Amino acid sequence: MSPSPSRCLSRLLAACLLLPVGCETEDGPTPVYRQEVVVAGSAFQGVHGLALDGKGHLLASNLLGQSVHSVDLSTGAVTTVEGPPLGGADDVTFGPDGSLYWTGYFTGQLMRRPPEGTTRVIATNLPGLNSLAFRRDGRFYVTQVGRGDALWEVDPDGNTPPRLILSGLGTLNGFEFGPDDRLYGPLLSKGQIARVDVDTGTVEVVAEGFGMPTAVNFDARREHLYVVDAVRGALVRVRLPSGAKELVAKLPTGLDNLTVGPDDQVYVSNMVDNGIHVINPADGSIRPVVESRLSVPSGLAVAPEDEDERLYVADVYALRRVGGRDGTVTQTTRVLSTPMTFPMHVSLGEAHVVLSSAYLGNVQVLDRASGEVLRTLPNTNGVQGALELPDGTLLLAEASTGRLVRVDTAEPAGITVLTEGLEGPVGLVAETEAEEPGVYVTEVRSGRVTRVRLRDGARSTVAEGLQAPEGIARHPDGGLIVAEVGRQQLVRIEPATGRLTVLASGLRIGLPESEGLPPGYVPTGVAVGRSGTIYLSSDIESALYRFVPVP
């Protein structure tokens, strides 16, 4: 049956409301685009700590999305319990009185939300705050991971300062207290499961030989331990007191945390796949609770010669290849199980892929054909965009210092400051074919797009008055396409005149910034294919969109 004229008219009106109408200007017609979904989104930006509330819901922490969510186990529906800025949780648990507690990894804050009440911060200045658990007597413990390596006792009411118990354990992660009131948890850097007496400080190894154990929980009878191994993608049962190991289920790599229900069903989070699965230990069967095809899509790149416009997606917990035309994920390189480290930006050279990560503070150069990591360069200055120039040197945007720096090809690498004084540089795109080669950079703090001459670092303003510009790409005709995150719109800028055209608005982009993170931390990525189709990542929705030119 053909659609009615009224339905066709309503669809046309809806499209006109979403997209700009073409018109003639002194610079020619305004382009018009049709917005389409490439990959549908998710409620999460990576899933981490889990906790069951005993009422048919699973609480899940969402670190980069700065939220704590509740998953209805009967329907799979996801709701937000706490959003930004206090919701940035790495792990979550319930206290004896039913209060919900969670850890802010980046902010170093510990939050408490009573059953009926408002969220408040009960501890601060604990960077890398990660895991947490209560002992049977109500004493409360947390650990620092990555940005620290320590075990602390914390007042659940926040009335007294945290007390240091142990430091230098070997990265104690997701832990739980056993029936003997000892703390059981994984030592990430040692591949071991340890038992800790928090009263005496005694540490004993109860099992070892793991790739990267990230969390443990006792079974429903509190006799044996379930362990998730992130590198091997395994759920393992450790028999106590012998420490004997038994594989319960094999899953994709990137497992982060787990919780066990009273029926002994094991719920496991996977940050790489942005999902949660439940495992029946009796037969090893696996059932999805929450699924997603992307985790935290950020930087985007597409080869200009690629007729199929296959995208490189810096997905924070993975580097993925996604078909720009059909959304098919054809290749995934995962963190933890490979040398790749949490990519947030991606750019393409003739033979290389360049990734940068403010998450772990480094830049990586990969072989474009094989995907092999060729170089890893540390940079803790809030590194954002990274480009490989024709001579093989790298150009990096340091959002925290406001510098653009060159990194040469030598080992160890030498660094030269090209320019400084930029205000939150995030996105980079090169114009190396010009008579005076340069690079365009978005400044998220100043709201400018600036051109920097590669010869001497001289700067000129291309456009200003933007609100939090992040991702930037060049159209085949030379125009600049920019994600203006502060106004949640996609704009085109003419480099010669600075004229700005809004291509799409009302976009779901721009997670709020959080304390402890560099400017533009989770960047909104932009890429343009040879057809003129524009691709945009949505950090809020964990989705990927395309904007197709309308003839």
Side-chain angles (χ1 to χ4, degrees), residues 169-322:
L169 283 166
T171 320
L172 174 64
N173 205 38
F175 60 88
E176 187 177 33
F177 281 91
D180 57 359
D181 283 338
R182 303 295 192 267
L183 181 157
Y184 291 77
L187 303 180
L188 293 182
S189 62
K190 298 180 179 180
Q192 299 172 335
I193 307 301
R195 176 171 51 225
V196 181
D197 186 325
V198 297
D199 294 318
T200 66
T202 304
V203 180
E204 304 171 85
V205 175
V206 298
E208 53 190 340
F210 294 92
M212 183 183 288
T214 50
V216 310
N217 260 205
F218 277 88
D219 60 16
R221 298 175 64 180
R222 300 185 64 75
E223 293 179 341
H224 307 298
L225 285 171
Y226 288 113
V227 181
V228 285
D229 190 325
V231 166
R232 295 173 181 168
L235 176 66
V236 178
R237 183 188 290 113
V238 174
R239 302 277 183 184
L240 298 176
S242 68
K245 294 181 295 184
E246 173 190 1
L247 179 66
V248 176
K250 191 75 173 67
L251 299 103
T253 60
L255 305 179
D256 188 76
N257 219 313
L258 79 163
T259 191
V260 181
D263 55 0
D264 222 28
Q265 301 296 291
V266 183
Y267 298 84
V268 176
S269 65
N270 189 312
M271 60 184 176
V272 176
D273 292 328
N274 203 13
I276 303 170
H277 288 78
V278 58
I279 301 161
N280 183 353
D283 58 13
S285 59
I286 304 170
R287 178 175 56 85
V289 177
V290 174
E291 290 186 296
S292 180
R293 294 172 59 206
L294 298 174
S295 51
V296 196
S298 302
L300 303 176
V302 59
E305 71 276 6
D306 186 355
E307 295 183 357
D308 295 325
E309 299 188 359
R310 290 165 294 189
L311 296 163
Y312 291 78
V313 181
D315 207 14
V316 181
Y317 301 112
L319 174 65
R320 305 190 201 269
R321 297 295 306 277
V322 178

Side-chain angles (χ1 to χ4, degrees), residues 430-438 440 451 474:
E431 188 182 37
T432 55
E433 76 284 358
E435 182 177 347
E436 279 283 9
Y440 296 97
R451 190 180 192 276
R474 290 184 71 202

Side-chain angles (χ1 to χ4, degrees), residues 34-261:
R34 180 178 67 253
Q35 181 178 344
E36 298 176 347
V37 176
V38 180
V39 179
S42 165
F44 298 94
Q45 288 81 20
V47 186
H48 302 279
L50 304 174
L52 290 162
D53 69 355
K55 302 175 183 178
H57 296 86
L58 179 69
L59 278 293
S61 57
N62 179 358
L63 177 62
L64 292 180
Q66 302 177 46
S67 301
V68 179
H69 298 285
S70 176
V71 182
D72 188 318
L73 293 176
S74 62
T75 66
V78 180
T79 57
T80 300
V81 175
E82 183 79 30
L86 292 181
D90 193 274
D91 202 359
V92 59
T93 195
F94 286 98
D97 67 348
S99 292
L100 188 64
Y101 295 81
W102 63 92
T103 53
Y105 179 86
F106 297 112
T107 63
Q109 297 177 334
L110 178 63
M111 274 66 68
R112 180 192 181 201
R113 179 169 175 162
E116 294 183 5
T118 58
T119 299
R120 68 185 184 92
V121 178
I122 63 170
T124 60
N125 299 318
L126 295 172
L129 192 59
N130 191 290
S131 299
L132 69 175
F134 280 87
R135 204 164 78 164
R136 285 187 302 173
D137 59 5
R139 293 169 65 183
F140 188 28
Y141 296 84
V142 300
T143 59
Q144 290 173 281
V145 172
R147 299 184 174 190
D149 183 8
L151 172 66
W152 299 80
E153 182 176 359
V154 178
D155 178 357
D157 296 319
N159 295 325
T160 59
R163 181 174 68 92
L164 179 64
I165 303 298
L166 288 168
S167 61
L169 283 166
T171 320
L172 174 64
N173 205 38
F175 60 88
E176 187 177 33
F177 281 91
D180 57 359
D181 283 338
R182 303 295 192 267
L183 181 157
Y184 291 77
L187 303 180
L188 293 182
S189 62
K190 298 180 179 180
Q192 299 172 335
I193 307 301
R195 176 171 51 225
V196 181
D197 186 325
V198 297
D199 294 318
T200 66
T202 304
V203 180
E204 304 171 85
V205 175
V206 298
E208 53 190 340
F210 294 92
M212 183 183 288
T214 50
V216 310
N217 260 205
F218 277 88
D219 60 16
R221 298 175 64 180
R222 300 185 64 75
E223 293 179 341
H224 307 298
L225 285 171
Y226 288 113
V227 181
V228 285
D229 190 325
V231 166
R232 295 173 181 168
L235 176 66
V236 178
R237 183 188 290 113
V238 174
R239 302 277 183 184
L240 298 176
S242 68
K245 294 181 295 184
E246 173 190 1
L247 179 66
V248 176
K250 191 75 173 67
L251 299 103
T253 60
L255 305 179
D256 188 76
N257 219 313
L258 79 163
T259 191
V260 181

Side-chain angles (χ1 to χ4, degrees), residues 372-416:
E372 178 187 359
V373 176
L374 304 176
R375 302 177 73 193
T376 298
L377 306 167
N379 186 306
T380 58
N381 294 325
V383 61
Q384 290 279 21
L387 297 175
E388 185 178 49
L389 300 174
D391 63 0
T393 61
L394 299 176
L395 188 65
L396 312 181
E398 296 181 346
S400 298
T401 66
R403 306 188 308 179
L404 291 189
V405 301
R406 284 182 183 266
V407 182
D408 63 36
T409 58
E411 293 291 350
I415 295 178
T416 304

Side-chain angles (χ1 to χ4, degrees), residues 400-474:
S400 298
T401 66
R403 306 188 308 179
L404 291 189
V405 301
R406 284 182 183 266
V407 182
D408 63 36
T409 58
E411 293 291 350
I415 295 178
T416 304
V417 177
L418 177 63
T419 192
E420 52 191 339
L422 300 170
E423 298 180 45
V426 172
L428 294 177
V429 64
E431 188 182 37
T432 55
E433 76 284 358
E435 182 177 347
E436 279 283 9
V439 62
Y440 296 97
V441 54
T442 57
E443 297 180 54
V444 71
R445 287 282 189 263
S446 69
R448 291 190 295 260
V449 174
T450 301
R451 190 180 192 276
V452 180
R453 194 162 58 194
L454 292 176
R455 174 169 57 85
D456 56 6
R459 301 201 304 262
S460 59
T461 299
V462 177
E464 55 189 349
L466 300 169
Q467 289 186 14
E470 292 185 355
I472 184 170
R474 290 184 71 202

